[in-house]
Amino acid sequence: MGKVWALAKTTLREMLREKVFLVVVLIAVALLALSFLLGALSFAEQRKILTDFGFLAIQVAALGVSLFSGSYLLAKEIEKQTCLLILSRPVSREQFILGKIFGVLALNTLLLAALGVLLWALLGLWKEPNLWLSFVEICLSLWFESAVILCLVICFSLIVRPVLALGAGFMVFLLGHWLGDLTFFAEKSKEELFIQAVKVFHWITPNLYRMNWKSAYFLENGIPAQNVGWMIAHMTGWGILLILATNFFFRRKDIV
C-alpha cells in the first residue's frame, strides 16, 4: 500500500496545480455567496435557501472535479507516456490505478471538507448540535456520489476519448437522479416495455435519486439509519465494481 499512497500524494499535488480545480472552487464559492445573498433577501426562507444552494455548491464542486479530472487523468498519462516511467518500476498496473483514484478522492475530500465547514459556519450549526449528524450524512452522500462518478469516468476514459467519457459520466449522473421520475412515468404509462427498461436501468445505473438529501428538509428532520446504511453499501459496491472493471481494461490497454 505504500506505493499506492505515494502515487496518491503525487496525484493530489498535481491536481492542486490544475487550473480546472481553481475554476471549480471559484464556482462553488460563488454559489455559496449567491445562496447567502438570496437568503438575505428573504428572511423567512433564509435557512432553506442557504441550505439548498449550499449543498448544491458542494455537489457541483465535487462532481466537477470527478468529471474533469477523471476523464483526463489516465488519458494524459497514456498520451504523454509518463505512466511508463512509473510502471517500469516495481509498480503494478492495479497499484497505479488505485494511486490515481485515491489521489483524486483525497482532493475531493479536502474540497468537500473545506466547503462543508464554510456552509456549516454560514448556517450557524455550532448552535444546533442536534443537526450535526444530518449535516455529515448529507456531505457523506455527496462524497460517495462524486467517488462513484469518478470511478465511472476513469473506466470510460480507457474505452473512449476523454471528452466522450466526461459526457457519458454526466449522462449517468443525470440518469441516476432521474430513475425515480422515470419509474413514476413508466407506471403511469402502463407500457410494459417502458417498465422493463426502467427496471434494467435500476440495475445498471447507480440509484443516485435515493440519496438526494441535499435540502433543508433532510437537514432538519434527519435521515433514517437504514437509508444511510443502504447508501454506503450501494455506493461502495458500485465503487469496487468500477475499480475492478478499470483494472481489467487497463491491463489490456496498449500504452506503448
Side-chain angles (χ1 to χ4, degrees):
M1 286 299 292
K3 298 173 184 176
V4 173
W5 292 123
L7 283 168
K9 287 188 287 186
T10 302
T11 303
L12 175 59
R13 286 196 294 267
E14 291 174 356
M15 290 295 101
L16 286 172
R17 291 195 292 266
E18 292 286 343
K19 291 182 179 179
V20 66
F21 174 67
L22 179 60
V23 172
V24 166
V25 171
L26 290 176
I27 291 174
V29 172
L31 282 173
L32 280 172
L34 177 62
S35 66
F36 186 75
L37 293 174
L38 289 175
L41 295 176
S42 176
F43 291 105
E45 297 291 332
Q46 184 176 30
R47 179 71 166 272
K48 183 179 185 304
I49 293 173
L50 183 55
T51 301
D52 294 349
F53 268 84
F55 283 126
L56 176 63
I58 295 175
Q59 183 183 41
V60 168
L63 182 66
V65 170
S66 294
L67 287 174
F68 287 97
S69 298
S71 59
Y72 288 93
L73 189 65
L74 294 183
K76 183 172 61 176
E77 295 277 357
I78 294 172
E79 181 181 352
K80 296 181 179 179
Q81 295 193 337
T82 52
C83 58
L84 291 176
L85 297 174
I86 300 174
L87 294 175
S88 62
R89 301 173 183 177
V91 175
S92 67
R93 293 197 178 198
E94 289 78 10
Q95 290 172 327
F96 180 79
I97 288 292
L98 286 177
K100 290 295 180 180
I101 291 175
F102 287 169
V104 181
L105 286 180
L107 176 63
N108 255 347
T109 302
L110 292 174
L111 177 61
L112 195 145
L115 294 176
V117 169
L118 179 58
L119 180 59
W120 179 83
L122 290 175
L123 290 171
L125 293 185
W126 69 85
K127 305 173 186 175
E128 302 176 77
N130 58 305
L131 300 181
W132 291 2
L133 179 60
S134 298
F135 185 85
V136 171
E137 289 171 344
I138 295 172
C139 290
L140 186 64
S141 72
L142 297 177
W143 184 90
F144 269 109
E145 180 182 81
S146 67
V148 169
I149 294 298
L150 170 67
C151 295
L152 184 74
V153 172
I154 289 178
C155 185
F156 282 162
S157 70
L158 293 173
I159 306 171
V160 297
R161 292 182 178 276
V163 65
L164 294 178
L166 189 154
F170 185 65
M171 289 305 297
V172 170
F173 167 79
L174 293 179
L175 181 59
H177 279 283
W178 289 344
L179 283 175
D181 295 329
L182 288 175
T183 302
F184 173 78
F185 289 126
E187 292 173 351
K188 285 292 184 182
S189 70
K190 294 182 170 43
E191 289 287 341
E192 189 60 29
L193 182 60
F194 191 10
I195 294 173
Q196 293 303 320
V198 172
K199 288 181 179 178
V200 171
F201 281 128
H202 268 84
W203 282 101
I204 64 174
T205 307
N207 297 177
L208 302 179
Y209 75 99
R210 294 183 61 181
M211 41 186 277
N212 187 20
W213 304 326
K214 54 183 189 301
S215 67
Y217 172 84
F218 289 103
L219 177 65
E220 295 168 0
N221 294 278
I223 304 164
Q226 63 268 24
N227 290 3
V228 177
W230 175 90
M231 180 267 294
I232 294 173
H234 183 74
M235 301 306 277
T236 301
W238 268 103
I240 292 173
L241 180 64
L242 290 169
I243 289 174
L244 291 175
T246 302
N247 283 327
F248 174 82
F249 288 118
F250 192 56
R251 281 199 303 268
R252 286 153 180 77
K253 185 77 173 179
D254 184 9
I255 57 178
V256 178

